[in-house]
Amino acid sequence: MPAIAAVRAAVRGRHRPLVLIDGPSGSGKSTLADALLARWPGAPPSLVRLDDVYPGWHGLDRASRMLADSLVAPWRRGVAARSPRWDWGERAAASPQSVRPGSALLIEGCGAFAVADEATPATRIWVEAADGIRRRRALERDGGAYDAYWEIWDLQWRAYVRRCGPRPLADVLLRVSHLD
């Protein structure tokens, strides 16, 4: 898979790399993260999925700020870190995920680039797809549970993109051009 090779080349030689996978909903970020995890050389990285962190359907920006403080900052100092988690069924905070110090860290999800400032050494991967493809993939993936929230989420996503301009920060750009 050329995408995996590109990411592996981008992190080669980095001690404890931080890999951020960002892009719009339904573009293939989770699929890429799973493939990276399966093919990671050596000890696998800790994986944090923003879908497990967002505090509800209005939480895109808040999740990024929470991870910057509770996860990325301590992880960079080489100490144990914790990722907040959200229980979607209960609509409440869940027990945090512990992240071991010393491991590589992979964070994937909408808004992932915002968990670290531009000066933070990280490999930034942008995954994108046409709006029609990504909408169909996202809505089919969640079996109707996401349908009522698509517009709410997409408005947050577009506001994040306007405010932060994340795409030009990418070290690796992947464009999905078909449905899986």
Side-chain angles (χ1 to χ4, degrees):
M1 175 183 257
I4 302 298
V7 174
R8 287 178 65 174
V11 301
R12 189 170 292 120
R14 290 191 180 192
H15 175 68
R16 291 185 333 120
L18 172 61
V19 178
L20 307 173
I21 303 174
D22 203 337
S25 186
S27 61
K29 299 176 302 298
S30 295
T31 301
L32 176 62
D34 291 342
L36 271 173
L37 204 57
R39 293 174 182 86
W40 194 266
S46 296
L47 172 62
V48 174
R49 297 184 188 277
L50 278 163
D51 282 351
D52 296 333
V53 177
Y54 305 122
W57 289 107
H58 297 276
L60 189 148
D61 290 331
R62 188 166 168 225
S64 298
R65 288 190 305 270
M66 290 185 319
L67 283 184
D69 295 337
S70 68
L71 176 66
V72 175
W75 176 84
R76 285 189 67 207
R77 290 191 309 271
V79 299
R82 297 169 74 109
S83 171
R85 291 184 47 242
W86 183 257
D87 184 324
W88 287 93
E90 294 295 320
R91 297 181 185 181
S95 298
Q97 172 186 348
S98 294
V99 175
R100 64 189 183 275
S103 67
L105 178 58
L106 175 57
I107 301 172
E108 71 87 8
C110 296
F113 286 8
V115 305
D117 62 33
E118 291 180 40
T120 299
T123 299
R124 291 168 175 84
I125 305 160
W126 184 262
V127 183
E128 62 185 31
D131 287 347
I133 290 173
R134 65 184 194 83
R135 180 180 177 133
R136 181 194 269 163
R137 289 174 74 180
L139 297 180
E140 287 176 356
R141 171 189 65 209
D142 294 326
Y146 186 9
D147 294 12
Y149 302 100
W150 175 264
E151 295 301 325
I152 292 168
W153 189 257
D154 203 50
L155 287 172
Q156 287 178 85
W157 166 253
R158 291 178 190 281
Y160 160 71
V161 169
R162 280 191 306 276
R163 187 178 59 258
C164 298
R167 188 179 189 272
L169 301 175
D171 300 298
V172 177
L173 176 63
L174 304 174
R175 176 122 178 109
V176 176
S177 59
H178 61 281
L179 285 174
D180 294 337

